[in-house]
């Protein structure tokens, strides 16, 4: 069973976390099941970017991004080559290191800034 290291995030995971995760689940579901309450404004339907994450290690082991996901990622805050939407990223049998960006483009949760 792969192990996922979530790097510290000031609001969602201040201490960071290390969790065992079964292959075949999405990063978003794994986070939610482990009390890391990442936003998912579109209810995990690949229609927003609020669940954007940066996969620092193990990126190539995730399921391939769809064209729709890649188009949405172009709108994500802090886009990097290792960016994925966690609701679309299915975990394989490889350990991962994941960073949750500091901001999203969800103006309701960001206080309209």
């Amino acid at each position: 069973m792969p192990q996922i290291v979530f790097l510290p995030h000031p609001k969602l995971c201040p201490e960071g976390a290390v969790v065992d995760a079964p292959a075949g689940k999405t990063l978003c579901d794994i986070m939610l099941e482990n009390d890391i309450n990442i936003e998912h404004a579109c209810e995990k339907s690949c229609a927003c970017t609020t669940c954007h994450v940066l996969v620092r290690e193990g990126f190539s082991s995730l399921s391939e991004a769809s064209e729709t996901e890649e188009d949405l990622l172009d709108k994500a805050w802090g886009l990097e080559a290792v960016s994925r939407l966690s609701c679309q990223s299915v975990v394989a049998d490889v350990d991962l290191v994941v960073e949750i960006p500091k901001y999203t483009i969800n103006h309701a949760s960001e206080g309209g800034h």
Side-chain angles (χ1 to χ4, degrees):
M1 183 176 293
Q3 191 173 68
I4 303 175
V5 174
F6 293 99
L7 299 176
H9 180 276
K11 292 182 182 177
L12 301 178
C13 190
E15 305 290 319
V18 178
V19 301
D20 291 324
K25 285 196 164 196
T26 66
L27 282 173
C28 187
D29 286 336
I30 292 164
M31 285 187 276
L32 294 172
E33 290 169 4
N34 287 279
D35 298 320
I36 302 171
N37 294 316
I38 190 160
E39 288 187 65
H40 50 289
C42 71
E43 294 299 320
K44 304 183 273 186
S45 66
C46 195
C48 73
T49 62
T50 59
C51 72
H52 170 228
V53 295
L54 303 164
V55 183
R56 296 294 182 200
E57 293 181 22
F59 179 84
S60 63
S61 71
L62 297 171
S63 60
E64 190 173 328
S66 69
E67 188 174 321
T68 302
E69 179 184 355
E70 289 180 356
D71 288 346
L72 282 168
L73 280 169
D74 287 339
K75 301 173 186 173
W77 183 90
L79 180 67
E80 294 186 19
V82 293
S83 289
R84 287 297 304 268
L85 298 182
S86 65
C87 72
Q88 301 300 301
S89 303
V90 178
V91 174
D93 287 322
V94 174
D95 292 346
L96 302 171
V97 175
V98 176
E99 180 180 355
I100 303 167
K102 185 175 179 181
Y103 300 108
T104 71
I105 60 167
N106 185 346
H107 293 289
S109 70
E110 295 297 331
H113 318 213

